[in-house]
Amino acid sequence: MSIIMPAFNSVATISESIQSVINQTFRNWELIIVDDHSQDNTVQIIEDYTSKDQRIQLISLPKNRGLSNARNTGIKNSKGKYLSFLDADDLWHASKLEAQLALHTQNPTYRISHTNYDLLVEGKIRSRYRGQIFDYFYSKSGELYPQILYKNNIAILSVMVDRALVIDSNGFDSGLWAFEDQDLWIKIAQQKNQFGYLNEKLCYYRINPKGMSSNLGKYRRAYKFFLNKYEHELLSNQKLLDAQGVYLNYFGLQFYKRGEFHLAFLYLLKAWRKQRFSILKILFGGYLFLSLIKMYFGQNRTNNSW
């Protein structure tokens, strides 16, 4: 079992992430940490662990080349049959590897699997209630193509995958600076591989307010670039409108959570017009209605203040 951990200026969180690997009940693993030319004391922290545990190794890159390159470097230097991925700010439950390996043993046709997960917000575990409600309407196991083209409900920190399958799929696309994980799942799903799923919350994804997801401008540009890459596949599978709907709904909800109700209303309205009728459309329609109400009353309060 090889665990790939890319790191960049991760001094505040990497010790906790490494410790969550050390705490695994399954013990036969190697942890390959690829430092992407950090400018803080990340390397010194990693070296402290490598000096104490021979299962942990450090690869220091001479130049910062991004997340995909760091993961690919780790993959090339790995030796395990299976790969798992853990970023330097995320955490695992102690039984994560053991439970997932048992799933693969019981289901030998699975060459890739993933699990449920929770959020880590300011050091506290938070359930992602809204996300789980929306995910309910999408498949998580079996053959996921073409759904994976437009809906990624596979968290990379929860994945366990046959190393040979990743190598045969050419790893992560270093030309993508976002959605590189979904891109790899697409390549794997296109080969008609069965995805396994454990509905156990075995991972904790840290919400970083300074991360890319909080920079909606860059995130929107990255998503549009990703959609353009797979436009032919989306059109041939008649899923382009679905993909656009997922994109618009996602950003509509992000603007709603930030209290930017005018933008939330515009995005959710565009999504409403593109999506076919479904229960999911009704749920997002609720946020569309709330955005309109809050936008209206917000304007009234502003006008009355004058």
Side-chain angles (χ1 to χ4, degrees), residues 102-201:
L103 175 69
H104 282 263
T105 300
Q106 295 162 12
N107 301 273
T109 58
Y110 291 162
R111 299 183 69 191
I112 181 171
S113 69
H114 62 116
T115 77
N116 204 344
Y117 65 99
D118 271 331
L119 304 177
L120 192 63
V121 184
E122 296 180 345
K124 296 181 180 180
I125 296 172
R126 295 282 186 265
S127 184
R128 50 186 195 96
Y129 296 111
R130 183 189 293 117
Q132 289 183 99
I133 291 171
F134 293 141
D135 282 352
Y136 175 81
F137 297 94
Y138 295 98
S139 298
K140 302 176 187 66
S141 61
E143 290 191 19
L144 297 185
Y145 192 86
Q147 175 188 283
I148 193 63
L149 283 169
Y150 60 91
K151 176 60 179 177
N152 180 24
N153 53 10
I154 301 172
I156 189 168
L157 74 161
S158 79
V159 165
M160 182 177 289
V161 58
D162 189 320
R163 181 181 183 274
L165 183 57
V166 175
I167 298 295
D168 292 343
S169 302
N170 297 316
F172 295 94
D173 184 349
S174 58
L176 294 173
W177 61 272
F179 306 103
E180 72 289 336
D181 52 346
Q182 185 175 357
D183 177 76
L184 179 57
W185 315 151
I186 289 172
K187 290 186 288 186
I188 291 173
Q190 284 175 326
Q191 302 171 47
K192 298 190 179 299
N193 285 287
Q194 297 278 329
F195 285 68
Y197 177 67
L198 267 180
N199 191 22
E200 298 178 33
K201 297 179 179 180

Side-chain angles (χ1 to χ4, degrees), residues 5 18 44 105 109 116 131 177 182 197 202 225 236 243 288:
M5 180 181 289
I18 295 173
Q44 289 88 328
T105 300
T109 58
N116 204 344
W177 61 272
Q182 185 175 357
Y197 177 67
L202 300 176
F225 183 85
S236 63
L288 174 63

